[in-house]
């Protein structure tokens, strides 16, 4: 009886599976994930190396379900933090049914792009090529040479030009991805959007606001952890987040003159978190100095950036 009910709801030919989004830093992976899920679950910024661990988003359609795994941008690791970020990429590639290479069409091809291409080829898994940021191209024919180059290097199941920011062609992309997944039942409940706990999403939103309101140096030395998350009433959550930096001078930058920058970070983060929770919150942020946390195993473990990249 139960089986019949499941078949009746999903029908034959329903497809589901895990899909990895890989690419260079800044290619627009997290923007695409948020767009497909319909909520902000991953931090986005114009600074490279924004994403630090795997973030899974669930996209459910009548034809199938995609569990999309967003990964850190591929880069050369320096600190232990960066080695763990790259471990997250390798781990994601191992665990998925389909790989999506996402390429920013508005920047020229470099060694990093060839490296990512090799990484995808080495998996031996079916792969899709996503050409992102087409809205930034004056002349769409510029894309032809990219298509030629990538087409000569690998046999793609499909090549889909999109704008993740504007949402152009993303429905076509979803349909294409589902087509290449194995037949199977949904992996997550329909109303689940991510496997990330709220505490982690909140920390990422705060970090995003820091990245968006500070200059070049701060993003790399900042980490955020939600220390307390108290659901006081159904319509009121109290959240306390610690912002880690490596030096007192960096702490001063984040706090800003008279506390102004930290206040702005808090206001912006609160708006997004309230939108996500659909009720008001109390958000308190404080800045802590932890020297060399990027090379500290203990600090990284506490921040949830584990060896397996999850
Ligand atoms: N014009 C334009 N900008 C985009 C598009 N998609 C993403 N961006 C911008 O590109 C920047 C990087 O976006 P992210 O989504 O953070 O990129 P990412 O690939 O997740 O980056 P990492 O996490 O650092 O690897 C942000 O400023 C986005 O707003 C797009 O389709 N068009
Ligand atoms: Mg990202």
């Amino acid at each position: 009886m139960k089986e019949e009910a499941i078949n009746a709801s999903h029908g034959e030919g329903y497809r589901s599976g895990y899909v990895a989004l890989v690419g260079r830093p800044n290619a627009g992976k997290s923007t695409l994930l948020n767009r497909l899920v319909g909520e902000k679950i991953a931090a986005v910024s114009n600074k490279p190396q924004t994403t630090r661990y795997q973030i899974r988003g669930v996209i459910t359609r009548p034809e199938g379900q995609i569990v999309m795994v967003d990964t850190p941008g591929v880069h050369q690791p320096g600190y232990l933090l960066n080695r763990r970020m790259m471990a997250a990429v390798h781990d994601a590639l191992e665990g998925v049914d389909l790989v999506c290479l996402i390429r920013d069409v508005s920047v020229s091809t470099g060694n990093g792009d060839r490296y990512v291409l090799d990484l995808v080829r080495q998996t031996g898994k079916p792969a899709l090529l996503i050409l992102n940021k087409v809205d930034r191209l004056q002349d769409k024919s510029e894309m032809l040479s990219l298509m030629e180059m990538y087409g000569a290097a690998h046999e793609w199941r499909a090549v889909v030009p999109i704008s993740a920011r504007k949402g152009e062609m993303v429905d076509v992309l979803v349909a294409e991805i589902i087509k290449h997944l194995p037949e199977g039942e949904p992996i997550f409940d329909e109303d689940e959007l991510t496997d990330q706990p709220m505490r982690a999403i909140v920390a990422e939103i705060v970090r995003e606001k820091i990245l968006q309101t500070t200059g070049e140096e701060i993003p790399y030395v900042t980490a955020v952890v939600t220390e307390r998350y108290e659901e006081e009433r159904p319509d009121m959550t109290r959240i306390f987040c610690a912002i880690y930096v490596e030096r007192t001078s960096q702490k001063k930058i984040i706090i800003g003159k008279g506390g102004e920058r930290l206040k702005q970070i808090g206001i912006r983060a609160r708006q997004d978190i309230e939108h996500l929770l659909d009720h008001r919150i109390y958000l308190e942020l404080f800045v802590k100095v932890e020297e060399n946390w990027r090379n500290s195993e203990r600090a990284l473990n506490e921040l949830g950036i584990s060896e397996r990249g999850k």
Side-chain angles (χ1 to χ4, degrees):
M1 194 51 204
K2 190 157 178 267
E3 208 158 278
E4 255 174 41
I6 288 173
N7 284 338
S9 60
H10 299 296
E12 254 179 53
Y14 192 89
R15 295 174 180 278
S16 64
Y18 287 84
V19 179
L21 264 183
V22 295
R24 285 175 61 186
N26 239 12
K29 299 175 288 299
S30 304
T31 306
L32 178 60
L33 182 81
N34 289 340
R35 164 72 64 182
L36 295 181
V37 167
E39 290 282 357
K40 179 185 281 298
I41 57 168
V44 166
S45 88
N46 61 2
K47 315 275 191 312
Q49 299 175 29
T50 297
T51 305
R52 287 180 175 159
Y53 51 82
Q54 293 176 18
I55 299 176
R56 291 186 195 77
V58 185
I59 301 128
T60 308
R61 298 282 186 272
E63 307 77 35
Q65 186 181 72
I66 304 167
V67 183
M68 185 74 95
V69 189
D70 183 16
T71 65
V74 174
H75 65 286
Q76 286 203 342
Y79 295 88
L80 180 61
L81 165 69
N82 306 87
R83 291 207 290 281
R84 290 199 175 178
M85 286 161 71
M86 288 306 93
V89 178
H90 290 281
D91 185 73
L93 286 172
E94 262 174 42
V96 294
D97 304 288
L98 180 74
V99 177
C100 288
L101 190 163
I102 176 163
R103 166 67 201 258
D104 178 349
V105 295
S106 69
V107 295
S108 50
T109 303
N111 286 338
D113 293 296
R114 284 180 274 271
Y115 187 83
V116 175
L117 185 57
D118 277 342
L119 210 60
V120 170
R121 279 197 301 213
Q122 279 159 18
T123 66
K125 296 193 179 186
L128 245 72
L129 175 64
I130 301 172
L131 298 172
N132 188 33
K133 307 198 190 181
V134 295
D135 60 287
R136 294 190 71 179
L137 286 185
Q138 300 290 340
D139 177 6
K140 302 272 189 257
S141 68
E142 284 176 44
M143 236 165 24
L144 289 178
S145 60
L146 268 185
M147 285 182 169
E148 242 169 59
M149 182 202 113
Y150 278 92
H154 192 61
E155 209 164 296
W156 305 94
R157 293 297 164 103
V159 179
V160 190
I162 66 161
S163 168
R165 186 188 273 177
K166 299 204 163 169
E168 282 167 17
M169 289 285 281
V170 292
D171 290 339
V172 174
L173 174 65
V174 167
E176 246 347 291
I177 291 174
I178 291 177
K179 241 197 261 173
H180 294 97
L181 291 179
E183 281 195 22
E185 289 297 319
I187 299 161
F188 286 87
D189 274 352
E190 257 182 54
D191 52 0
E192 269 179 87
L193 298 182
T194 180
D195 67 343
Q196 292 284 296
M198 262 316 287
R199 295 173 83 103
I201 299 176
V202 163
E204 283 295 273
I205 289 176
V206 172
R207 201 165 59 82
E208 176 187 275
K209 303 310 169 199
I210 298 169
L211 266 54
Q212 290 175 352
T213 51
T214 54
E216 287 305 315
E217 181 201 8
I218 296 298
Y220 302 100
V221 297
T222 307
V224 179
V225 63
T226 305
E227 297 208 330
R228 276 160 61 197
Y229 188 95
E230 298 163 355
E231 287 164 319
E232 221 170 57
R233 296 194 308 266
D235 62 344
M236 180 49 158
T237 309
R238 291 167 71 86
I239 303 170
F240 299 78
C241 290
I243 299 167
Y244 286 92
V245 288
E246 295 194 321
R247 286 186 233 293
T248 315
S249 57
Q250 295 157 349
K251 179 175 173 171
K252 280 192 190 139
I253 293 175
I254 291 199
I255 292 173
K257 249 202 187 127
E260 195 47 41
R261 184 173 280 127
L262 191 62
K263 192 172 146 199
Q264 284 306 319
I265 292 166
I267 291 171
R268 291 187 192 196
R270 203 181 59 212
Q271 275 175 354
D272 278 11
I273 300 164
E274 286 182 344
H275 183 263
L276 203 58
L277 291 175
D278 212 14
H279 65 70
R280 299 207 43 201
I281 62 156
Y282 169 83
L283 177 65
E284 196 168 308
L285 305 177
F286 37 94
V287 188
K288 291 183 178 178
V289 178
E290 164 103 24
E291 262 178 50
N292 210 16
W293 67 262
R294 286 178 292 174
N295 264 331
S296 155
E297 228 161 278
R298 180 194 49 79
L300 290 172
N301 291 345
E302 274 173 24
L303 289 163
I305 304 170
S306 74
E307 274 168 70
R308 293 205 59 231
K310 281 180 210 164

